[in-house]
Amino acid sequence: MSWVVIALAGAAISGIVSIFDKTVIYRYATTPRTLPLLIGVAQTSVGVVVLAIVRVPPGAEWEPVLWALVSGAVFGLSAQFLMHVLFGNEVSRTIPIFQSYPIFTAIYAFFFLGEDLGAVEWLAVAVVVAGTVLISFRPGSTSVRSLLLDKAFVLLMIGSAIHGSAHIFGKVAVDELPVLFTHGLRSIALGGVFLAFNLRRRPLDDVISFVRTRSPALRFVAMNELIIATVGLLLLLWALALGPAALVTALTGARSFFLVVYSTALALVWKGALGEVTTPGVVAVKLASTALIVGGVAAIALGSG
């Protein structure tokens, strides 16, 4: 199967993951640390189970193992920024800004993997940045400050820059290790970072309350992390194993397109779903800015090939 198809399928599935995450945050969690804590438990469990099944492959060297762990840890660190912002902002505004990480992956790939950046790629970078700013614009507002999601925009861009490096480390690891084994290592590191940051009293009380009341939040997280997110992450690793890092990562930017479609459709069917605003002006801005982001990262992919 073509790595292009695999990467796009992973992007479509990742969009669903974001919808489920926001559902838990918007309807059930009382702190921004609750969902990351649940994800930490789930991803650590996934990693342990996967490694117990596949075992250490013959001839595996410590260096790619280390890079797989670093990739997972960096992935978890960047997701901390995302989860913090997602707790108080619309999912279809938050994720597309975070999805600008292919810009950073392309830059890292230039320095560390020897992939060239030409005029087309730099132009594409400008287009993607324009898209990230535009998606934060709120129609009808005249304040310059309101053009951005306040501090959220800066946090998302920092998280995006960190996230971009996770794909470089993942590419280095999966070039030497089997996909499933690499995924197991990454999941353990990712889960460990989430647990380290979020194992606090208030989110723990939230989780205990979910268990006592048999909250639907637990079913959402279980389905999302044990099935949907796992499939999405495996597809991305599989695509990275078959194709170049910059191209694969750029194609995952299509996640923002799928996400805007999913969230807008849900909000139109169920008014107020996920806290999304669905006025014609807002929807038009979201679609236009998402098109810029997707077009920009696609140009990066095509130009760097």
Side-chain angles (χ1 to χ4, degrees):
M1 184 182 295
S2 168
W3 59 265
V4 174
V5 175
I6 296 170
L8 289 175
I13 291 174
S14 295
I16 299 174
V17 171
S18 298
I19 294 295
F20 274 71
D21 283 345
K22 183 59 178 180
T23 299
V24 174
I25 289 173
Y26 184 65
R27 295 188 177 278
Y28 304 104
T30 63
T31 82
R33 295 182 184 272
T34 301
L35 178 60
L37 176 59
L38 287 167
I39 293 175
V41 173
Q43 285 298 322
T44 302
S45 302
V46 168
V48 169
V49 170
V50 169
L51 292 182
I53 294 173
V54 301
R55 305 296 178 89
V56 179
E61 299 183 358
W62 69 268
E63 190 171 355
V65 169
L66 175 62
W67 288 125
L69 291 171
V70 170
S71 176
V74 171
F75 192 103
L77 180 61
S78 66
Q80 278 295 127
F81 287 87
L82 174 62
M83 292 294 177
H84 180 78
V85 176
L86 192 60
F87 185 78
N89 291 281
E90 294 173 69
V91 64
S92 59
R93 287 184 184 273
T94 302
I95 298 299
I97 296 173
F98 186 80
Q99 282 293 121
S100 62
Y101 67 79
I103 301 171
F104 301 104
T105 300
I107 294 172
Y108 301 148
F110 171 73
F111 287 106
F112 300 109
L113 300 180
E115 296 182 11
D116 241 346
L117 284 175
V120 173
E121 288 82 2
W122 288 117
L123 178 60
V125 167
V127 171
V128 174
V129 171
T132 62
V133 173
L134 177 60
I135 206 167
S136 298
F137 175 71
R138 299 181 184 277
S141 174
T142 57
S143 169
V144 173
R145 183 182 178 185
S146 69
L147 294 177
L148 304 179
L149 288 169
D150 300 324
K151 294 180 181 179
F153 182 83
V154 176
L155 291 175
L156 286 172
M157 292 306 292
I158 294 173
S160 182
I162 296 172
H163 191 78
S165 66
H167 296 279
I168 298 297
F169 299 135
K171 172 64 175 174
V172 173
V174 83
D175 278 346
E176 303 293 332
L177 301 171
V179 171
L180 276 175
F181 181 67
T182 304
H183 176 66
L185 292 171
R186 279 169 36 112
S187 293
I188 285 179
L190 188 159
V193 168
F194 272 170
L195 290 175
F197 274 96
N198 301 291
L199 191 55
R200 304 289 188 270
R201 185 64 195 177
R202 283 190 62 201
L204 188 58
D205 286 342
D206 245 3
V207 174
I208 293 173
S209 174
F210 291 166
V211 173
R212 286 175 176 170
T213 61
R214 298 183 180 180
S215 170
L218 295 177
R219 293 194 291 273
F220 277 119
V221 173
M223 182 181 298
N224 206 26
E225 296 303 318
L226 301 181
I227 302 174
I228 303 173
T230 296
V231 172
L233 290 171
L234 279 172
L235 286 172
L236 175 57
L237 272 181
W238 187 12
L240 279 174
L242 298 176
L247 295 173
V248 171
T249 305
L251 287 175
T252 64
R255 173 186 183 180
S256 48
F257 166 77
F258 291 113
L259 178 60
V260 167
V261 172
Y262 299 157
S263 60
T264 302
L266 283 173
L268 289 173
V269 174
W270 292 288
K271 296 297 182 182
L274 308 180
E276 294 288 305
V277 179
T278 57
T279 62
V282 168
V283 172
V285 167
K286 289 178 180 179
L287 292 177
S289 54
T290 298
L292 281 175
I293 294 171
V294 173
V297 296
I300 291 174
L302 293 173
S304 62

